[in-house]
Amino acid sequence: TSSVNATIKSLVELGSRGVSTRVSGGLQTNHTQRRTRHATKEPNLVNWPLHAKLLKAEEAGELLSLVEKNHQSMTSSNVATALHRIAKHAQRSGNPDEIRHDQRLELLKGPIDSHLQEFNARDLSHILWGYAALGHNPGGRLLARVEEQVGGKVQDFSP
């Protein structure tokens, strides 16, 4: 938990300075070229203030409130993180049915659809796992589009 707290603290510090970070070439950097542990291979802007709040949230309802307030400004990384953590907290609470039927969960469909080209393999797996863990079907059209992205990035997935 100390490494999680340190990561959250770093994200909050970056966010308080208004820093957006671009991920590129497998190394995530900020304007001072400092390494972080959230490295990916695909370019991806991260809304750090929101990301820090998503990581700090302690229950699914809190995450859904963040989605409700921020769904229009969520980046691909924010969307994948939110859905993954919502499902994780719903499972831990033993009440995924309540979350599955929460209308705020539907607010993630728009950002998922609009960021499809930006998702990396990890993001796509978080999205699919999140919906599966909740037992929630976001609709055939969206799932087909996500499946298409997975097919194009299958070489990026690792066990």
Side-chain angles (χ1 to χ4, degrees):
T1 57
S2 63
S3 66
V4 170
N5 290 337
T7 300
I8 290 171
K9 184 178 178 185
S10 297
L11 293 175
V12 170
E13 287 172 11
L14 285 173
S16 67
R17 290 185 285 171
V19 175
S20 285
T21 303
R22 179 165 292 281
V23 178
S24 136
L27 174 65
Q28 186 160 345
T29 59
N30 65 22
H31 67 286
T32 60
Q33 299 294 310
R34 184 172 47 180
R35 290 177 181 251
T36 67
R37 70 180 196 80
H38 296 286
T40 64
K41 296 179 183 175
E42 305 275 330
N44 184 9
L45 282 175
V46 178
N47 176 339
W48 285 117
L50 176 56
H51 207 75
K53 290 175 185 176
L54 292 170
L55 293 175
K56 197 171 184 178
E58 296 184 10
E59 56 186 47
E62 185 179 353
L63 287 156
L64 287 166
S65 292
L66 287 168
V67 167
E68 184 175 31
K69 292 175 189 167
N70 300 285
H71 68 278
Q72 293 178 330
S73 64
M74 293 178 90
T75 65
S76 56
S77 182
N78 296 148
V79 173
T81 298
L83 184 54
H84 183 264
R85 291 187 53 80
I86 288 166
K88 192 173 180 181
H89 284 294
Q91 283 187 327
R92 284 184 183 160
S93 73
N95 200 4
D97 290 340
E98 182 179 324
I99 301 304
R100 178 181 328 135
H101 299 296
D102 192 307
Q103 289 302 310
R104 296 174 294 179
L105 191 60
E106 295 298 309
L107 295 173
L108 289 172
K109 288 168 68 172
I112 289 171
D113 196 44
S114 66
H115 291 297
L116 270 174
Q117 301 294 320
E118 301 167 28
F119 289 121
N120 59 36
R122 174 189 252 167
D123 293 339
L124 292 167
S125 66
H126 281 176
I127 290 166
L128 292 172
W129 180 86
Y131 280 132
L134 289 169
H136 180 76
N137 183 345
R141 179 184 171 279
L142 184 63
L143 284 178
R145 295 198 58 206
V146 171
E147 179 184 7
E148 188 177 299
Q149 290 300 309
V150 169
K153 297 180 181 175
V154 80
Q155 72 280 357
D156 296 336
F157 284 85
S158 60

